[in-house]
Amino acid sequence: MRAALLEEIHGELTIHDVRLTDIGPNEVLVNTVACGLCHSDLHFIEGTLPQRLPTLLGHEAAGIVEAVGEDVTEFKPGDHVVGCLNAHCYRCSQCIGGRTHLCENRLALQKRANGTSRVRFGDEEVFQLAGLGGFGEMMLAHESGLTKVPKELPLELGALLGCAVITGVGAVFNSARLQAGSTVAVVGIGGVGLNIVQGASLAGAERIIAVDLNPDKLELAKTFGATDCVNAGETDAVEAVTELTKGGADVSFEAIGLAATAKQAFQMIRPGGMTYLVGVSPAGTDYGFAGNEMVLKGRGVQGVYMGSNYFKRDVPMLANLYLQGRLKLDELVSAKISLDQINEGFAAMQAGTVARSVVIF
Ligand code: APR
Ligand code: ZN
C-alpha cells in the first residue's frame, strides 16, 4: 500500500510502498478513507516530540473494515470505524478504574503480539503511530483501538472525532465536567480549541471567551459558540478575560502547548477556578506555576490527555450529536487533500491558516 513516511526529523514526508503484516487474532484490517492532519503529527516532524524513524504518522483516521482476525467478534467487513489513539487492555488498574485513555498496556497493544511493528518498508520495521498509521491506504490495528460509527456519518468527518473533537469536547465533558452557567476561557483556537468551545457551548456555559492571535480563528470560534473574542496579539489576554468575567473565568483551557499561554490561562481564572492543560508541549517544557497562586487562592491546574476519553462510549455519542445537528464537524474541515499533498497540508498548519486539513484516500 502507499503510505507517507517520516524518514528524517524536519524532513518532508515521503510516499513509499509499504507492507502490512498478516492479521493477528485480535487485529482488524481497515481501508483508510480519511485522516486528519493534527498538530501532534507536526511535533514529530519537527522533532519536538521524539520518535523512532521511519515512522508512519496519522492518528485521526476513519475507514471501512476489510478483514478481521480470528478472535475478533466486535467488527465485521464493511463496518465503518474510527481509530483511537489509545488502544486499551480492559485489565490493568487504569482500565478497571475507568481510565482506558491511560491504559498501562497501550504501547504493547500498538504492536503485534510478538512486540514488532505491523508495518514494514522493505525489511525494515516502520513505527506505527498510535498503532494506527493513518497516513497509509490501509491500517492494521488492535480491536480495542477502533470503534464502530453509524454509516450515515461521512467518514471524512468521523476521522476528526478520533482526535480533535474528542480531545476538545472530552476535556469539557470528562475532565472539567463543566457546570451549566460557568464562565470559560479557551486559549488557542485550532482544531482542538474549537472543539473546547463547542463542548462548552453544549454544556451550557454562560460565557465562552476565545483567545487567539489570528482574527480568522476568532471569527470561526463565534460560529462554534464563543460569546466573546480576545486577540492576544492586540491586547493583554489576561486583563481582557479578567475584565470580561469581572474577576476571572471559572474555568480556562489551554490548547496550544506553550509555557507562556499555559501561564496566561492560569492567570485568567478567578480564585477557586481551574485551568485544564490540553495542548501537548515540546518535550521538557517547564510551565513553572507559583505554588501560592494555587494554594492561597484555591486554584488548580489539571493536565488532560486526549479528553480523558472512554473511546467506545464517547465516539458513538459524538457521532450521534452530529447526526442530530448539535455538533459541528463540516465547519472544522478547511481543506480536503490527497496523500500526495500532505506536505502542503503541514505547511498550511505551520502558517496557521487552517482549522483542519483532511487527507482523503
Ligand atoms: N496566543 C494565542 N493563540 C496562539 C498563540 C499565542 N501565543 N500561539 C498560537 N496560537 C494559536 C494559533 O493561532 C492556532 O489557532 O493556537 C492555535 C493552535 O492550533 P493548531 O495549530 O491547529 O493546533 P491543534 O491541532 O488545535 O492542537 C493544539 O493540542 O493536541 C494538541 O499537539 C496538539 O499541542 C497541540 C494542541
Ligand atoms: Zn491529534
Side-chain angles (χ1 to χ4, degrees):
M1 65 163 189
R2 295 176 80 233
L5 299 187
L6 177 67
E7 297 182 281
E8 54 178 318
I9 300 304
H10 292 301
E12 299 224 308
L13 301 187
T14 39
I15 313 282
H16 287 292
D17 255 318
V18 304
R19 187 170 56 82
L20 294 173
T21 53
D22 294 338
I23 307 175
N26 295 101
E27 292 174 351
V28 179
L29 182 65
V30 177
N31 273 308
T32 317
V33 170
C35 185
L37 272 53
C38 173
H39 207 115
S40 300
D41 295 307
L42 191 59
H43 278 311
F44 295 118
I45 296 172
E46 292 176 338
T48 45
L49 288 179
Q51 195 53 269
R52 268 153 298 165
L53 300 173
T55 293
L56 176 51
L57 299 172
H59 59 272
E60 193 177 73
I64 300 173
V65 173
E66 173 76 19
V68 301
E70 61 198 37
D71 291 343
V72 174
T73 55
E74 187 182 343
F75 302 99
K76 59 180 188 315
D79 283 345
H80 287 200
V81 292
V82 171
C84 165
L85 268 104
N86 38 269
H88 38 277
C89 71
Y90 296 112
R91 283 192 287 272
C92 71
S93 63
Q94 294 286 10
C95 284
I96 288 169
R99 295 173 297 273
T100 54
H101 65 296
L102 298 176
C103 173
E104 291 162 10
N105 297 310
R106 67 170 186 245
L107 294 179
L109 295 174
Q110 292 175 1
K111 295 184 165 183
R112 304 172 78 202
N114 67 8
T116 61
S117 173
R118 303 183 184 110
V119 187
R120 302 296 156 90
F121 178 35
D123 294 332
E124 203 177 0
E125 277 190 57
V126 175
F127 183 76
Q128 183 189 24
L129 186 73
L132 293 170
F135 294 154
E137 289 173 330
M138 301 196 95
M139 296 182 285
L140 182 58
H142 190 267
E143 58 184 327
S144 69
L146 297 167
T147 193
K148 257 189 270 189
V149 286
K151 289 190 175 159
E152 302 80 59
L153 175 74
L155 284 169
E156 70 211 44
L157 303 179
L160 304 183
L161 297 179
C163 182
V165 181
I166 204 158
T167 301
V169 177
V172 177
F173 284 19
N174 298 331
S175 299
R177 295 174 186 267
L178 196 76
Q179 201 176 324
S182 303
T183 55
V184 175
V186 184
V187 184
I189 306 293
V192 174
L194 278 173
N195 282 291
I196 298 174
V197 168
Q198 74 167 332
S201 179
L202 281 164
E206 183 223 337
R207 199 141 197 183
I208 304 168
I209 305 166
V211 181
D212 203 289
L213 300 171
N214 182 331
D216 297 338
K217 298 287 179 75
L218 293 173
E219 278 309 308
L220 193 56
K222 283 188 194 157
T223 68
F224 277 70
T227 59
D228 302 86
C229 294
V230 171
N231 188 325
E234 292 170 358
T235 41
D236 183 316
V238 175
E239 274 176 24
V241 171
T242 308
E243 197 170 312
L244 283 166
T245 53
K246 300 187 172 57
D250 294 318
V251 177
S252 70
F253 297 88
E254 198 273 358
I256 307 166
L258 296 174
T261 45
K263 276 190 191 145
Q264 285 179 337
F266 177 64
Q267 286 162 350
M268 58 179 68
I269 53 171
R270 63 166 174 74
M274 274 297 282
T275 293
Y276 294 90
L277 301 177
V278 180
V280 179
S281 53
T285 305
D286 185 347
Y287 283 177
F289 297 108
N292 280 344
E293 283 296 308
M294 290 189 221
V295 176
L296 301 181
K297 294 182 180 170
R299 304 196 288 188
V301 177
Q302 166 83 58
V304 181
Y305 176 61
M306 289 307 301
S308 305
N309 74 78
Y310 197 98
F311 204 77
K312 296 199 191 210
R313 174 198 66 191
D314 292 348
V315 166
M317 176 271 291
L318 293 166
N320 285 332
L321 287 180
Y322 170 78
L323 293 173
Q324 294 164 6
R326 297 160 71 197
L327 185 83
K328 286 188 195 296
L329 295 178
D330 300 84
E331 296 81 351
L332 287 171
V333 181
S334 338
K336 295 181 195 175
I337 60 177
S338 69
L339 188 62
D340 298 292
Q341 295 170 306
I342 196 161
N343 292 305
E344 294 150 49
F346 280 111
M349 181 187 292
Q350 278 167 315
T353 51
V354 293
R356 267 302 194 253
S357 302
V358 182
V359 174
I360 309 288
F361 287 87

